[in-house]
Amino acid sequence: MAFSSYSGSGGRGQTTQAVFMLLVLTLIGGLNLNILGYSIAMHLVPLIGICLWPRRAHPVYSIIAIFILGLLLDLLTTEALGGRTLIYLVVFSIFRPDKRIKEHIFGTALVQWLVSVFLVLLLIYFFGWMSRGTRPEALLLIYQAMLATAFFPLIYFIRYVISYILVDPDDRYL
Amino acid sequence: MYRNDPDSTSKTTITLIIAFILAIMIVIADKNNDRFLQKTKSTTDQTITPVLSVISTPLRATENFFARSQDRRRALEENTALKAELYQLREATERANVMEMKLFRFEQILKANIGTDIPNEKIAARAVSELDGPFVKAALLNAGLKKGIKVGHPVMTVNGLYGHVVKVGQNSARVLRLSDLNSRIAVMSSESQATAILSGNNSHFPEISFMSEASAWSEGHQVITSGDDGVLPRGLPIGRVKRGNNNKLGVELDADRVPVDWVWVYPFVPISAPEDMSDDNVLTEAHDIPLSDEEAQ
């Protein structure tokens, strides 16, 4: 049977908690942080949810959820509808969590995050430039990436704790 | 590191391809201003406003904490500066009162009313989410049609003009900020009365373009709305002229000085063109014009 490794309470649990986490991060991603004279959007924070997507989550349901939540972030940020969804799907299809054999440890997750951020920044910069005819402020994008990176360890920790409490020991790791 | 399960791979790949195609179709439809998508955006704004309002509360608390600690550090020097400003303002208020009296008298003599068209009424709203993205500079307010907000109304912070309403729902409104790429506002210099257009460029430093007299603009000038566009009232403070790195004149926005939380929406009614008015209110012949009391006598 297809997706046998994702069925059962473990797979369902992993999918549910990953979707819930991405939903919360998407809502946070619609906000702006005004601090110490800087105004930085948190648009890249939901990307952490994609990078920490559990390997046991059902891939088809995951793609559907990522698609819908990408649209939600586009609506929240009033950016071009579908743009963020495309970026999420690119990141998901490159890293394909369902193909991962080993669980994520913090180091590998961080490396994957940094690569994703770099890729996403390039995509936003060049697609934005092509579609809008004007170059986005690169410094603003870098600030956004730095802010999201500062959140990464905290979200990794929360994700780990939730997984530890809610999911069966065999399916526990990311 | 990675596993390979042919069954799941094919289904996942098909789903991914379908998702990519759908996403591209949505991008294209959005670019063509599809009516259904626009309605969806408006509905989402209304639904999500209360949620964002709750989520942004701890964030605003953190911002206020940092802002307050910064204020505390600057309290002494600010106090001295404020005292000096207060003495200046007392004198300025007295002068303004005299000028107002004079102006009133001149208006009576000339039978003209050249007073400001800034409405006295204000609608308070909270900016529940402020967007400072690379392409969009906007904000979402937690008040809409029910409170009397309409498209085009100017939005002010305590410091100055913030933007204007571009979309409005029953309980929410979307504000296009002055720094957004699509923002164009008719402005003037308080000092030289020269007019221009303030063009947003997605940075915190919108440019002054289409200047009536380029030489009449210089650094430090106070920039206000000119009202020439017939959309915003004349006299709303915007910021100060500053020369940018590219040697172009821009405006340092007053509204950008502090984090924005509460804003005021002015229910300003723009001037309607005669052709936009109902037939009952339009006079087309000279004999239609009603005589004044003096002329009637």
Side-chain angles (χ1 to χ4, degrees):
Chain A
M1 190 186 151
F3 307 126
S4 55
S5 57
Y6 314 110
S7 58
S9 62
R12 273 201 300 274
Q14 293 275 16
T15 312
T16 311
Q17 58 158 305
V19 171
F20 182 72
M21 183 63 124
L22 187 60
L23 174 67
V24 172
L25 293 178
T26 301
L27 292 172
I28 292 171
L31 299 172
N32 228 46
L33 188 65
N34 293 288
I35 210 156
L36 303 171
Y38 292 97
S39 173
I40 310 164
M42 298 165 87
H43 297 179
L44 289 178
V45 171
L47 190 67
I48 300 173
I50 310 282
C51 282
L52 297 180
W53 205 265
R55 65 194 177 104
R56 290 285 177 89
H58 194 297
V60 174
Y61 294 156
S62 301
I63 293 165
I64 294 168
I66 286 168
F67 182 88
I68 293 167
L69 291 172
L71 286 179
L72 177 65
L73 186 64
D74 285 330
L75 289 168
L76 287 175
T77 57
T78 66
E79 298 278 2
L81 206 58
R84 198 67 59 163
T85 314
L86 271 175
I87 287 171
Y88 282 0
L89 289 172
V90 167
V91 173
F92 186 87
S93 54
I94 287 175
F95 292 105
R96 287 293 292 270
D98 55 308
K99 295 272 181 194
R100 221 167 48 226
I101 297 168
K102 286 183 181 173
E103 67 272 15
H104 254 160
I105 55 164
F106 182 74
T108 52
L110 185 65
V111 170
Q112 184 180 322
W113 162 251
L114 292 173
V115 173
S116 310
V117 165
F118 181 71
L119 180 75
V120 167
L121 289 188
L122 283 180
L123 285 173
I124 293 175
Y125 192 89
F126 287 106
F127 280 120
W129 190 2
M130 280 194 290
S131 64
R132 305 229 176 193
T134 175
R135 272 185 295 180
E137 219 182 324
L139 204 62
L140 202 69
L141 286 172
I142 291 167
Y143 284 153
Q144 284 184 18
M146 283 164 66
L147 182 72
T149 307
F151 273 94
F152 184 81
L154 176 72
I155 293 167
Y156 180 89
F157 176 72
I158 293 170
R159 182 80 187 72
Y160 185 85
V161 169
I162 290 171
S163 180
Y164 197 84
I165 295 167
L166 295 179
V167 183
D168 291 342
D170 293 344
D171 302 315
R172 185 164 289 161
Y173 297 104
L174 307 167
Chain B
M1 189 78 186
Y2 285 85
R3 62 185 158 172
N4 200 2
D5 177 356
D7 279 348
S8 73
T9 303
S10 59
K11 270 200 175 181
T12 311
T13 310
I14 291 166
T15 317
L16 261 176
I17 292 169
I18 293 170
F20 268 114
I21 293 169
L22 273 175
I24 291 166
M25 281 167 67
I26 291 171
V27 171
I28 295 166
D30 186 55
K31 211 159 171 103
N32 295 331
N33 271 328
D34 185 85
R35 193 181 284 178
F36 172 73
L37 291 183
Q38 298 308 319
K39 206 176 170 189
T40 312
K41 280 181 181 179
S42 178
T43 314
T44 313
D45 274 355
Q46 283 188 60
T47 318
I48 217 77
T49 305
V51 183
L52 283 180
S53 189
V54 173
I55 291 179
S56 66
T57 308
L59 210 62
R60 297 282 169 264
T62 316
E63 287 170 5
N64 287 338
F65 171 77
F66 278 97
R68 251 182 259 137
S69 55
Q70 272 184 322
D71 281 351
R72 243 177 259 134
R73 259 186 282 140
R74 290 196 307 247
L76 192 67
E77 50 191 281
E78 261 189 4
N79 192 27
T80 317
L82 284 171
K83 268 184 187 169
E85 201 178 335
L86 182 68
Y87 296 138
Q88 280 178 347
L89 282 175
R90 273 185 196 155
E91 197 191 329
T93 312
E94 280 164 24
R95 280 174 191 272
N97 288 340
V98 174
M99 292 297 286
E100 196 180 356
M101 253 165 35
K102 272 187 182 176
L103 191 65
F104 178 68
R105 190 73 200 118
F106 287 146
E107 278 180 5
Q108 275 190 326
I109 294 166
L110 295 169
K111 290 181 183 163
N113 180 8
I114 53 167
T116 174
D117 42 8
I118 298 172
N120 289 323
E121 195 195 334
K122 289 175 187 174
I123 302 164
R126 202 170 150 230
V128 290
S129 101
E130 203 186 357
L131 300 169
D132 232 333
F135 303 108
V136 181
K137 308 275 179 193
L140 187 66
L141 306 186
N142 68 347
L145 281 171
K146 281 187 182 169
K147 282 200 173 180
I149 296 176
K150 288 180 184 166
V151 171
H153 282 173
V155 181
M156 299 285 295
T157 68
V158 282
N159 295 312
L161 185 66
Y162 185 55
H164 67 277
V165 176
V166 284
K167 257 186 210 164
V168 63
Q170 289 299 319
N171 293 307
S172 65
R174 184 68 71 179
V175 179
L176 187 76
R177 288 161 59 191
L178 293 177
S179 43
D180 189 277
L181 192 67
N182 296 312
S183 171
R184 298 284 182 275
I185 303 285
V187 295
M188 65 189 283
S189 156
S190 287
E191 282 78 3
S192 66
Q193 315 292 306
T195 56
I197 298 289
L198 184 69
S199 312
N201 51 8
N202 275 353
S203 78
H204 288 280
F205 194 61
E207 286 172 13
I208 298 175
S209 50
F210 301 105
M211 287 173 262
S212 58
E213 298 164 70
S215 57
W217 289 88
S218 50
E219 274 193 88
H221 278 195
Q222 165 84 42
V223 181
I224 57 171
T225 51
S226 69
D228 291 346
D229 47 13
V231 179
L232 297 175
R234 175 186 277 237
L236 299 175
I238 292 176
R240 294 224 168 249
V241 178
K242 199 180 163 190
R243 200 167 285 280
N245 295 334
N246 51 5
N247 213 27
K248 280 185 180 172
L249 285 179
V251 176
E252 211 169 28
L253 299 173
D254 288 337
D256 273 356
R257 270 192 264 152
V258 284
V260 175
D261 194 1
W262 286 93
V263 293
W264 289 278
V265 182
Y266 282 125
F268 172 70
V269 183
I271 303 155
S272 305
E275 53 271 25
D276 297 335
M277 294 166 79
S278 66
D279 290 345
D280 301 343
N281 297 324
V282 182
L283 307 172
T284 50
E285 300 292 334
H287 57 74
D288 287 341
I289 300 166
L291 298 172
S292 68
D293 293 344
E294 284 173 22
E295 284 168 334
Q297 283 167 11

PDB file of all heavy atoms in Angstrom, chain B residues 176-195:
ATOM      1  N   LEU B 176      -2.465  51.739   2.334  1.00  0.00           N
ATOM      2  CA  LEU B 176      -1.263  51.802   1.495  1.00  0.00           C
ATOM      3  C   LEU B 176      -0.374  52.882   2.093  1.00  0.00           C
ATOM      4  O   LEU B 176      -0.776  54.048   2.174  1.00  0.00           O
ATOM      5  CB  LEU B 176      -1.635  52.165   0.055  1.00  0.00           C
ATOM      6  CG  LEU B 176      -0.499  52.100  -0.948  1.00  0.00           C
ATOM      7  CD1 LEU B 176      -0.198  50.653  -1.302  1.00  0.00           C
ATOM      8  CD2 LEU B 176      -0.849  52.862  -2.213  1.00  0.00           C
ATOM      9  N   ARG B 177       0.801  52.487   2.555  1.00  0.00           N
ATOM     10  CA  ARG B 177       1.675  53.462   3.220  1.00  0.00           C
ATOM     11  C   ARG B 177       2.387  54.347   2.197  1.00  0.00           C
ATOM     12  O   ARG B 177       2.530  53.985   1.031  1.00  0.00           O
ATOM     13  CB  ARG B 177       2.678  52.719   4.106  1.00  0.00           C
ATOM     14  CG  ARG B 177       2.000  52.148   5.338  1.00  0.00           C
ATOM     15  CD  ARG B 177       2.814  51.074   5.969  1.00  0.00           C
ATOM     16  NE  ARG B 177       4.131  51.563   6.359  1.00  0.00           N
ATOM     17  CZ  ARG B 177       5.113  50.778   6.746  1.00  0.00           C
ATOM     18  NH1 ARG B 177       4.951  49.481   6.800  1.00  0.00           N
ATOM     19  NH2 ARG B 177       6.272  51.288   7.082  1.00  0.00           N
ATOM     20  N   LEU B 178       2.870  55.491   2.680  1.00  0.00           N
ATOM     21  CA  LEU B 178       3.506  56.467   1.781  1.00  0.00           C
ATOM     22  C   LEU B 178       4.745  55.894   1.095  1.00  0.00           C
ATOM     23  O   LEU B 178       5.108  56.314   0.012  1.00  0.00           O
ATOM     24  CB  LEU B 178       3.906  57.722   2.566  1.00  0.00           C
ATOM     25  CG  LEU B 178       2.768  58.565   3.131  1.00  0.00           C
ATOM     26  CD1 LEU B 178       3.330  59.717   3.939  1.00  0.00           C
ATOM     27  CD2 LEU B 178       1.890  59.104   2.024  1.00  0.00           C
ATOM     28  N   SER B 179       5.396  54.936   1.757  1.00  0.00           N
ATOM     29  CA  SER B 179       6.633  54.398   1.192  1.00  0.00           C
ATOM     30  C   SER B 179       6.393  53.310   0.151  1.00  0.00           C
ATOM     31  O   SER B 179       7.332  52.856  -0.496  1.00  0.00           O
ATOM     32  CB  SER B 179       7.521  53.869   2.313  1.00  0.00           C
ATOM     33  OG  SER B 179       6.753  53.145   3.230  1.00  0.00           O
ATOM     34  N   ASP B 180       5.141  52.860  -0.023  1.00  0.00           N
ATOM     35  CA  ASP B 180       4.864  51.797  -0.991  1.00  0.00           C
ATOM     36  C   ASP B 180       5.126  52.282  -2.413  1.00  0.00           C
ATOM     37  O   ASP B 180       4.903  53.459  -2.741  1.00  0.00           O
ATOM     38  CB  ASP B 180       3.416  51.338  -0.870  1.00  0.00           C
ATOM     39  CG  ASP B 180       3.139  50.095  -1.690  1.00  0.00           C
ATOM     40  OD1 ASP B 180       2.895  50.221  -2.909  1.00  0.00           O
ATOM     41  OD2 ASP B 180       3.186  49.003  -1.112  1.00  0.00           O
ATOM     42  N   LEU B 181       5.558  51.354  -3.242  1.00  0.00           N
ATOM     43  CA  LEU B 181       5.905  51.670  -4.630  1.00  0.00           C
ATOM     44  C   LEU B 181       4.728  52.283  -5.397  1.00  0.00           C
ATOM     45  O   LEU B 181       4.910  53.085  -6.310  1.00  0.00           O
ATOM     46  CB  LEU B 181       6.369  50.386  -5.327  1.00  0.00           C
ATOM     47  CG  LEU B 181       7.032  50.529  -6.685  1.00  0.00           C
ATOM     48  CD1 LEU B 181       8.356  51.235  -6.557  1.00  0.00           C
ATOM     49  CD2 LEU B 181       7.223  49.177  -7.324  1.00  0.00           C
ATOM     50  N   ASN B 182       3.507  51.911  -5.018  1.00  0.00           N
ATOM     51  CA  ASN B 182       2.324  52.397  -5.747  1.00  0.00           C
ATOM     52  C   ASN B 182       1.765  53.697  -5.181  1.00  0.00           C
ATOM     53  O   ASN B 182       0.750  54.180  -5.669  1.00  0.00           O
ATOM     54  CB  ASN B 182       1.225  51.329  -5.718  1.00  0.00           C
ATOM     55  CG  ASN B 182       1.646  50.096  -6.450  1.00  0.00           C
ATOM     56  OD1 ASN B 182       2.142  50.172  -7.558  1.00  0.00           O
ATOM     57  ND2 ASN B 182       1.501  48.940  -5.812  1.00  0.00           N
ATOM     58  N   SER B 183       2.393  54.233  -4.136  1.00  0.00           N
ATOM     59  CA  SER B 183       1.855  55.437  -3.509  1.00  0.00           C
ATOM     60  C   SER B 183       2.323  56.696  -4.240  1.00  0.00           C
ATOM     61  O   SER B 183       3.511  56.889  -4.473  1.00  0.00           O
ATOM     62  CB  SER B 183       2.292  55.482  -2.038  1.00  0.00           C
ATOM     63  OG  SER B 183       1.950  56.723  -1.477  1.00  0.00           O
ATOM     64  N   ARG B 184       1.375  57.545  -4.603  1.00  0.00           N
ATOM     65  CA  ARG B 184       1.671  58.852  -5.223  1.00  0.00           C
ATOM     66  C   ARG B 184       0.800  59.896  -4.523  1.00  0.00           C
ATOM     67  O   ARG B 184      -0.428  59.794  -4.568  1.00  0.00           O
ATOM     68  CB  ARG B 184       1.324  58.859  -6.714  1.00  0.00           C
ATOM     69  CG  ARG B 184       2.109  57.857  -7.546  1.00  0.00           C
ATOM     70  CD  ARG B 184       3.538  58.317  -7.796  1.00  0.00           C
ATOM     71  NE  ARG B 184       4.248  57.386  -8.624  1.00  0.00           N
ATOM     72  CZ  ARG B 184       4.872  56.298  -8.191  1.00  0.00           C
ATOM     73  NH1 ARG B 184       4.864  56.011  -6.911  1.00  0.00           N
ATOM     74  NH2 ARG B 184       5.511  55.497  -9.023  1.00  0.00           N
ATOM     75  N   ILE B 185       1.417  60.881  -3.887  1.00  0.00           N
ATOM     76  CA  ILE B 185       0.674  61.884  -3.122  1.00  0.00           C
ATOM     77  C   ILE B 185       1.095  63.273  -3.589  1.00  0.00           C
ATOM     78  O   ILE B 185       2.296  63.535  -3.745  1.00  0.00           O
ATOM     79  CB  ILE B 185       1.013  61.742  -1.604  1.00  0.00           C
ATOM     80  CG1 ILE B 185       0.714  60.335  -1.084  1.00  0.00           C
ATOM     81  CG2 ILE B 185       0.304  62.793  -0.772  1.00  0.00           C
ATOM     82  CD1 ILE B 185      -0.735  60.021  -0.866  1.00  0.00           C
ATOM     83  N   ALA B 186       0.118  64.152  -3.776  1.00  0.00           N
ATOM     84  CA  ALA B 186       0.438  65.545  -4.132  1.00  0.00           C
ATOM     85  C   ALA B 186       0.887  66.268  -2.863  1.00  0.00           C
ATOM     86  O   ALA B 186       0.162  66.261  -1.863  1.00  0.00           O
ATOM     87  CB  ALA B 186      -0.784  66.214  -4.729  1.00  0.00           C
ATOM     88  N   VAL B 187       2.084  66.843  -2.901  1.00  0.00           N
ATOM     89  CA  VAL B 187       2.640  67.479  -1.704  1.00  0.00           C
ATOM     90  C   VAL B 187       3.098  68.907  -2.013  1.00  0.00           C
ATOM     91  O   VAL B 187       3.191  69.300  -3.177  1.00  0.00           O
ATOM     92  CB  VAL B 187       3.844  66.684  -1.136  1.00  0.00           C
ATOM     93  CG1 VAL B 187       3.409  65.324  -0.637  1.00  0.00           C
ATOM     94  CG2 VAL B 187       4.961  66.548  -2.166  1.00  0.00           C
ATOM     95  N   MET B 188       3.381  69.640  -0.968  1.00  0.00           N
ATOM     96  CA  MET B 188       3.957  70.985  -1.145  1.00  0.00           C
ATOM     97  C   MET B 188       4.921  71.281  -0.005  1.00  0.00           C
ATOM     98  O   MET B 188       4.849  70.644   1.057  1.00  0.00           O
ATOM     99  CB  MET B 188       2.859  72.033  -1.223  1.00  0.00           C
ATOM    100  CG  MET B 188       2.054  72.201   0.041  1.00  0.00           C
ATOM    101  SD  MET B 188       0.626  73.250  -0.204  1.00  0.00           S
ATOM    102  CE  MET B 188       1.370  74.845  -0.215  1.00  0.00           C
ATOM    103  N   SER B 189       5.794  72.234  -0.268  1.00  0.00           N
ATOM    104  CA  SER B 189       6.731  72.646   0.770  1.00  0.00           C
ATOM    105  C   SER B 189       6.064  73.766   1.578  1.00  0.00           C
ATOM    106  O   SER B 189       5.542  74.717   0.998  1.00  0.00           O
ATOM    107  CB  SER B 189       8.021  73.157   0.115  1.00  0.00           C
ATOM    108  OG  SER B 189       8.688  74.025   0.988  1.00  0.00           O
ATOM    109  N   SER B 190       6.082  73.635   2.896  1.00  0.00           N
ATOM    110  CA  SER B 190       5.475  74.676   3.751  1.00  0.00           C
ATOM    111  C   SER B 190       6.210  75.992   3.579  1.00  0.00           C
ATOM    112  O   SER B 190       5.607  77.062   3.659  1.00  0.00           O
ATOM    113  CB  SER B 190       5.571  74.283   5.211  1.00  0.00           C
ATOM    114  OG  SER B 190       4.706  73.284   5.499  1.00  0.00           O
ATOM    115  N   GLU B 191       7.523  75.921   3.344  1.00  0.00           N
ATOM    116  CA  GLU B 191       8.342  77.124   3.278  1.00  0.00           C
ATOM    117  C   GLU B 191       8.183  77.858   1.955  1.00  0.00           C
ATOM    118  O   GLU B 191       7.979  79.061   1.922  1.00  0.00           O
ATOM    119  CB  GLU B 191       9.826  76.778   3.501  1.00  0.00           C
ATOM    120  CG  GLU B 191      10.206  76.544   4.956  1.00  0.00           C
ATOM    121  CD  GLU B 191       9.805  75.179   5.481  1.00  0.00           C
ATOM    122  OE1 GLU B 191       9.262  74.360   4.701  1.00  0.00           O
ATOM    123  OE2 GLU B 191      10.012  74.905   6.676  1.00  0.00           O
ATOM    124  N   SER B 192       8.275  77.109   0.817  1.00  0.00           N
ATOM    125  CA  SER B 192       8.274  77.788  -0.493  1.00  0.00           C
ATOM    126  C   SER B 192       6.946  77.666  -1.225  1.00  0.00           C
ATOM    127  O   SER B 192       6.776  78.290  -2.270  1.00  0.00           O
ATOM    128  CB  SER B 192       9.380  77.205  -1.366  1.00  0.00           C
ATOM    129  OG  SER B 192       9.086  75.866  -1.658  1.00  0.00           O
ATOM    130  N   GLN B 193       6.035  76.874  -0.717  1.00  0.00           N
ATOM    131  CA  GLN B 193       4.723  76.623  -1.361  1.00  0.00           C
ATOM    132  C   GLN B 193       4.867  75.897  -2.707  1.00  0.00           C
ATOM    133  O   GLN B 193       3.888  75.791  -3.447  1.00  0.00           O
ATOM    134  CB  GLN B 193       3.924  77.919  -1.603  1.00  0.00           C
ATOM    135  CG  GLN B 193       3.896  78.903  -0.458  1.00  0.00           C
ATOM    136  CD  GLN B 193       3.112  78.384   0.719  1.00  0.00           C
ATOM    137  OE1 GLN B 193       1.976  78.001   0.583  1.00  0.00           O
ATOM    138  NE2 GLN B 193       3.723  78.358   1.887  1.00  0.00           N
ATOM    139  N   ALA B 194       6.069  75.439  -3.038  1.00  0.00           N
ATOM    140  CA  ALA B 194       6.263  74.716  -4.300  1.00  0.00           C
ATOM    141  C   ALA B 194       5.609  73.346  -4.183  1.00  0.00           C
ATOM    142  O   ALA B 194       5.622  72.737  -3.119  1.00  0.00           O
ATOM    143  CB  ALA B 194       7.749  74.552  -4.580  1.00  0.00           C
ATOM    144  N   THR B 195       5.039  72.887  -5.293  1.00  0.00           N
ATOM    145  CA  THR B 195       4.331  71.606  -5.248  1.00  0.00           C
ATOM    146  C   THR B 195       5.134  70.510  -5.950  1.00  0.00           C
ATOM    147  O   THR B 195       6.022  70.790  -6.755  1.00  0.00           O
ATOM    148  CB  THR B 195       2.947  71.708  -5.923  1.00  0.00           C
ATOM    149  OG1 THR B 195       3.135  72.186  -7.247  1.00  0.00           O
ATOM    150  CG2 THR B 195       2.024  72.645  -5.159  1.00  0.00           C
TER     151      THR B 195
END
